């Protein structure tokens, strides 16, 4: 599905028009809800001394804000999407990781200080989310901050989107806490089809 969306955006001219794949879904520079995501959920955690990991960077609409970190792991299952990111941000400290679904090959144990994912978990079913949450434990430290954006089928816009997974804040809380994390904050109201959560190892 993700490669098909990339191809459709290229063929439809969105990539050429916007400059980055993904901006046709909203620009964090101008769309108010996404400006809030950028300023509250992402930028406060970006510091030059940390190692960060982004799951599903796409063309880099969020990655561009994470470039000031010491090292950034960009994780995706599809080489076409990693190539799209590389074309936009060929930075030596951005390390591409092609995973096998929900793992993090090549990421050293306990090395990641911050995890961010936007626009990916909205498409993932519960078993895949649980697997990601379990596998993240191997690469994060005891104080790592994780920010995950996910589908909220309590909302009509998510119900109408056939590509969104069957999830909501209650189920997401159960999965996150069941995997051994402690929820620090969440926003279930600002986005019309989804929600976002910040948590850390319990």
């Amino acid at each position: 599905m993700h490669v098909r969306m990339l191809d459709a955006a290229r063929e439809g001219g969105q990539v050429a028009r916007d400059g980055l794949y993904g901006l046709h879904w909203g620009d964090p520079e101008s769309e108010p809800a996404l400006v809030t995501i950028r300023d509250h959920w992402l930028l406060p955690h970006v510091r030059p001394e940390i190692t960060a990991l982004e799951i599903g960077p796409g063309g880099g609409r969020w990655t561009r804000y994470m470039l000031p970190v010491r090292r950034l792991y960009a994780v995706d299952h599809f080489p076409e999407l990693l190539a799209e990111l590389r074309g936009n941000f060929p930075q030596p400290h951005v390390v591409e990781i092609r995973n096998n679904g929900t793992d993090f090959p090549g990421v050293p144990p306990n090395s990641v200080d911050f995890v961010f994912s936007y626009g990916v978990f909205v498409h993932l079913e519960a078993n895949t989310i649980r697997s990601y949450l379990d596998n993240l434990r191997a690469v994060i430290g005891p104080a790592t901050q994780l920010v995950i954006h996910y589908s909220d089928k309590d909302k009509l816009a998510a119900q109408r989107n056939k590509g969104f997974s069957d999830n909501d804040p209650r189920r997401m809380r159960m999965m996150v806490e069941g995997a051994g994390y402690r929820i620090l904050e969440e926003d279930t109201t600002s986005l019309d089809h989804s929600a976002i959560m910040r948590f850390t190892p319990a």
Side-chain angles (χ1 to χ4, degrees):
M1 178 184 70
H2 297 287
V3 176
R4 290 198 303 271
M5 290 192 295
L6 172 61
D7 290 340
R10 285 173 173 164
E11 292 167 8
Q14 289 98 337
V15 174
R17 180 194 68 212
D18 300 331
L20 288 178
Y21 169 62
L23 287 179
H24 58 292
W25 290 310
D27 189 345
E29 288 293 307
S30 57
E31 188 171 317
L34 299 185
V35 169
T36 299
I37 299 296
R38 181 197 67 189
D39 291 348
H40 180 79
W41 297 89
L42 177 56
L43 290 180
H45 305 287
V46 175
R47 302 187 305 277
E49 71 273 15
I50 73 163
T51 294
L53 183 150
E54 184 182 10
I55 300 171
R61 69 167 169 161
W62 298 101
T63 315
R64 55 185 168 161
Y65 303 115
M66 303 172 71
L67 293 176
V69 302
R70 183 177 64 86
R71 175 166 293 178
L72 173 58
Y73 292 106
V75 181
D76 206 295
H77 180 62
F78 300 101
E80 296 90 342
L81 289 164
L82 290 172
E84 182 73 14
L85 179 71
R86 185 187 322 125
N88 294 327
F89 301 106
Q91 311 273 351
H93 71 300
V94 178
V95 181
E96 297 174 15
I97 301 291
R98 184 186 178 190
N99 71 1
N100 300 298
T102 63
D103 59 345
F104 303 96
V107 179
N110 309 312
S111 64
V112 175
D113 304 297
F114 176 57
V115 176
F116 182 82
S117 185
Y118 189 97
V120 176
F121 282 67
V122 292
H123 303 295
L124 303 182
E125 298 299 337
N127 60 334
T128 305
I129 293 174
R130 290 191 198 97
S131 183
Y132 259 123
L133 293 172
D134 288 342
N135 288 333
L136 278 165
R137 297 303 298 263
V139 299
I140 63 175
T144 300
Q145 302 284 300
L146 301 94
V147 173
I148 302 292
H149 164 246
Y150 62 94
S151 169
D152 183 359
K153 281 293 179 80
D154 286 342
K155 299 174 179 175
L156 186 59
Q159 295 168 19
R160 290 175 173 168
N161 191 321
K162 294 181 179 179
F164 272 35
S165 60
D166 194 16
N167 199 4
D168 57 55
R170 296 176 302 281
R171 282 179 276 189
M172 190 66 178
R173 288 176 201 128
M174 289 179 62
M175 287 187 282
V176 168
E177 292 174 343
Y181 297 93
R182 177 170 56 93
I183 298 169
L184 300 174
E185 63 175 327
E186 54 186 330
D187 182 349
T188 62
T189 60
S190 296
L191 300 164
D192 64 0
H193 50 41
S194 52
I196 193 163
M197 177 185 292
R198 179 169 65 91
F199 52 96
T200 195

